[in-house]
Amino acid sequence: RRRERGKGGLDSVSVSATMRPFLLLTLVSLSLSVSGDENSDRLNEYLSLRDRVKSKRVSSNDDCSILPPSLWCTSDTLAKKCGFYDQCQKFSKSTYNQPVLITLLYESLCPGCQKFITEELYPKVLKNFGAEFVKIELVPYGNAKISPEGEITCQHGEDECSINKFESCLIAALPDQNKHVPAIHCIEAQLKVKVDFNDAIQKCFETLQIGMDIQTMIQSCMVTRESARLQQAAAERTNNVYPDKHDHVPWVLFNNASLADAQFLIGDIPQLICSWWRGDKKIPYCEVEKVNARRFKIDRVCKNN
Ligand SMILES: *[C@@H]1O[C@H](CO)[C@@H](O)[C@H](O)[C@H]1NC(C)=O
């Protein structure tokens, strides 16, 4: 059989064995050069890009224009070259040794708020960063509405209004975030699993050892105009965020900026604090080993000595 084939044409055998790649290449380049405009446009595009790269005609401005904004202040060399330097210096100066401000707009009975407080804000933000590195501002009001007469209607009904009020009073009675964030966390964790509110606060006062003095302050806040005043302030704080109004809760402000398109960062607050912090101290949590343990772990690196 083989013989017969060979007989049929030695040329065709040797073409398929050795010449095929060359033939293919020729065909490809032929089809590129003679076929439709689209292909030749693409070829020309490719050739000119290749030439530009070859002759290093990609200018320094091109490098700057593709540097992602979140890296603008990462290198003084690039910042100077690209014209970001002054703005980066301004940021460093005005935030130096200042905690990153995380403001949470929330309402007490919203499931997403309960989830954010119990799974993210308390365990990952408060517990990992001292008050010198992060300032947490809780605004218990959320999607409530206030009438010109100051009457408040809440998304999840009367209960929510009175719990929001209670939490306003609690925050005012315990201004230290290391006191009130754990307390709000404890209450929201109970409400999340449908524990009755009165049982929840008894349990949380007990486990967090919040004494009678504080409990009395909260109670008197609740029965006086103070609670209404605090809810009014929470309403104003919520309604005056800038530049974007909240369209859902939980809603987070980063250093007081309210940005709809930054809400997707709500689960990355620890990483954000690490990259935004400017100060004399290093944040222990942000040391390479620890911060990367949660994500891609960078260890066993190879140093270039
Ligand atoms: C945050 O922004 C509001 C206006 O949106 C302003 O009234 C308030 O003073 C700012 N707070 C801080 C700490 O800068």
Side-chain angles (χ1 to χ4, degrees), residues 2 29-30 32 43-44 51 62 66 73 76 94 105-106 155 174 201 220 228 270 276 280 301 305:
R2 209 194 266 163
S29 31
L30 262 176
L32 274 176
L43 180 65
N44 288 333
D51 288 349
D62 286 346
I66 59 170
C73 301
D76 282 352
S94 52
L105 308 184
Y106 78 104
Q155 189 167 33
L174 291 169
I201 57 175
S220 67
W276 293 343
D280 296 320
V301 297
N305 293 314

Side-chain angles (χ1 to χ4, degrees), residues 48 91 178 182 188 204 206 234 249-250 253 259 273 283 287 305:
S48 82
F91 174 76
N178 286 318
E188 294 297 326
C204 293
E206 206 173 295
V249 285
L253 277 60
L259 302 165
I273 296 170
I283 305 179
E287 297 303 288
N305 293 314

Side-chain angles (χ1 to χ4, degrees), residues 122-284:
Y122 174 74
K124 307 222 172 119
V125 182
L126 184 85
K127 296 265 255 180
N128 287 328
F129 297 90
E132 57 188 321
F133 303 123
V134 64
K135 179 168 167 38
I136 298 175
E137 179 190 11
L138 295 177
V139 188
Y141 179 80
N143 299 326
K145 300 279 176 284
I146 191 162
S147 74
E149 297 77 37
E151 197 152 321
I152 294 173
T153 320
C154 296
Q155 189 167 33
H156 301 92
E158 278 300 306
D159 281 357
E160 183 167 69
C161 278
S162 83
I163 301 172
N164 286 350
K165 217 187 231 185
F166 183 92
E167 294 189 351
S168 279
C169 289
L170 184 150
I171 294 163
L174 291 169
D176 180 352
Q177 72 181 22
N178 286 318
K179 296 263 163 58
H180 71 245
V181 177
I184 299 291
H185 160 259
C186 178
I187 294 170
E188 294 297 326
Q190 302 291 313
L191 295 176
K192 189 175 154 198
V193 295
K194 310 288 176 215
V195 172
D196 173 75
F197 177 65
N198 288 309
D199 296 342
I201 57 175
Q202 282 323 310
K203 186 176 169 173
C204 293
F205 284 156
E206 206 173 295
T207 50
L208 295 168
Q209 298 183 317
I210 294 170
M212 277 317 290
D213 49 340
I214 299 294
Q215 294 185 35
T216 308
M217 277 175 77
I218 297 172
Q219 282 314 322
S220 67
C221 167
M222 286 296 281
V223 298
T224 59
R225 291 197 51 76
E226 182 63 1
S227 57
R229 194 189 66 76
L230 290 171
Q231 274 294 288
Q232 178 102 28
E236 275 165 27
R237 179 74 176 111
T238 303
N239 293 331
N240 291 327
V241 296
Y242 178 85
D244 298 333
K245 300 285 175 216
H246 80 282
D247 63 10
H248 64 272
V249 285
W251 184 273
V252 169
L253 277 60
F254 302 96
N255 271 359
N256 213 23
S258 174
L259 302 165
D261 287 343
Q263 294 307 309
F264 76 98
L265 294 169
I266 196 165
D268 294 322
I269 295 175
Q271 271 66 32
L272 295 175
I273 296 170
C274 291
S275 72
W276 293 343
W277 169 255
R278 302 285 186 278
D280 296 320
K281 281 194 192 166
K282 284 190 172 168
I283 305 179

Side-chain angles (χ1 to χ4, degrees), residues 62-78:
D62 286 346
D63 289 348
C64 291
S65 67
I66 59 170
L67 185 67
S70 56
L71 300 180
W72 283 2
C73 301
T74 305
S75 144
D76 282 352
T77 309
L78 273 189

Side-chain angles (χ1 to χ4, degrees), residues 110-123:
C110 156
C113 299
Q114 295 172 344
K115 186 174 152 80
F116 175 70
I117 291 167
T118 58
E119 294 175 22
E120 199 67 32
L121 188 71
Y122 174 74

